[in-house]
Amino acid sequence: EDKVVQSPLSLVVHEGDTVTLNCSYEVTNFRSLLWYKQEKKAPTFLFMLTSSGIEKKSGRLSSILDKKELFSILNITATQTGDSAIYLCAGSGGSNYKLTFGKGTLLTVNP
Amino acid sequence: GAVVSQHPSWVICKSGTSVKIECRSLDFQATTMFWYRQFPKQSLMLMATSNEGSKATYEQGVEKDKFLINHASLTLSTLTVTSAHPEDSSFYICSAREWGTRNYGYTFGSGTRLTVV
């Protein structure tokens, strides 16, 4: 059975701090690793990673995948209160490219 | 960008009734549609995967007679919760995947909050 494990499950930081969120995966016929941010409603897409060692960046967010260690991290620098959300990691695999989600990391950024 | 319209956004129904949730891909053909449910403070749990024109594949533990999925066209998939009970109250989200072209591959609907009373 496919499995995605995220850590930590929750994190409280102050504005300006840098955070690293972790994601390990075991996905049959792995295709890609995706990160999402979820606030009140449906997840919003952050990154899709398919190749090892290539960092993807979007503003203060960046992510990288290690396909040998079956691991990915999401970094957020200079955190802001608006970054407070649940960050979900998902592995895509199988013939249908179905997503298996981790439990998420609840990030709280205090002013 | 790709958009999936999901409705209703929220619904309250009486125990024993059925509720239908629709997801439409507005500007692309959704070859595959995924249906998830999410309980408070928990992650998204995949319920089923459907490919257009064929029967849905349900995840272990999901009752296919209770959660009816129809994906009759490339732009529309529906989830019907039959004989709903309070324990079916949850947040249901669809996600559509278009074969091949899009970089990020998956587009989520905005979700449906179902409350069964």
Side-chain angles (χ1 to χ4, degrees), chain A residues 38 42 48 92 96-98 102, chain B residues 34 38 43 51 59 103 106 109:
Chain A
Q38 186 177 28
M48 179 166 124
S92 164
N96 269 324
Y97 292 73
K98 71 176 187 179
Chain B
F34 304 93
Q38 186 177 34
S43 192
N51 291 304
E59 295 298 301
N103 189 42
Y106 305 85

Side-chain angles (χ1 to χ4, degrees), chain A residues 50-66:
Chain A
T50 53
S51 301
S52 243
I54 299 173
E55 185 184 51
K56 290 211 172 180
K57 271 182 83 76
S58 176
R60 296 176 293 102
L61 277 66
S62 64
S63 185
I64 198 160
L65 175 67
D66 184 334

Side-chain angles (χ1 to χ4, degrees), chain A residues 1 32 34 36 38 40-43 45 48 56 86 88 92-93 95-104, chain B residues 9 32 34 36 38 42-44 46 49 51 59-60 91 93 97 99 103-106 108-111 113:
Chain A
E1 189 178 319
S32 58
L34 296 95
Y36 292 88
Q38 186 177 28
K40 297 285 184 190
K41 287 203 168 181
F45 171 79
M48 179 166 124
K56 290 211 172 180
I86 296 173
L88 296 167
S92 164
S95 57
N96 269 324
Y97 292 73
K98 71 176 187 179
L99 291 181
T100 301
F101 281 86
K103 292 189 175 183
Chain B
S9 300
T32 306
F34 304 93
Y36 298 87
Q38 186 177 34
Q42 294 190 25
S43 192
L44 280 75
L46 180 65
T49 303
N51 291 304
E59 295 298 301
Q60 196 171 6
F91 189 54
I93 311 178
R97 187 173 187 280
W99 188 260
N103 189 42
Y104 48 86
Y106 305 85
F108 283 85
S110 55
R113 174 82 53 199

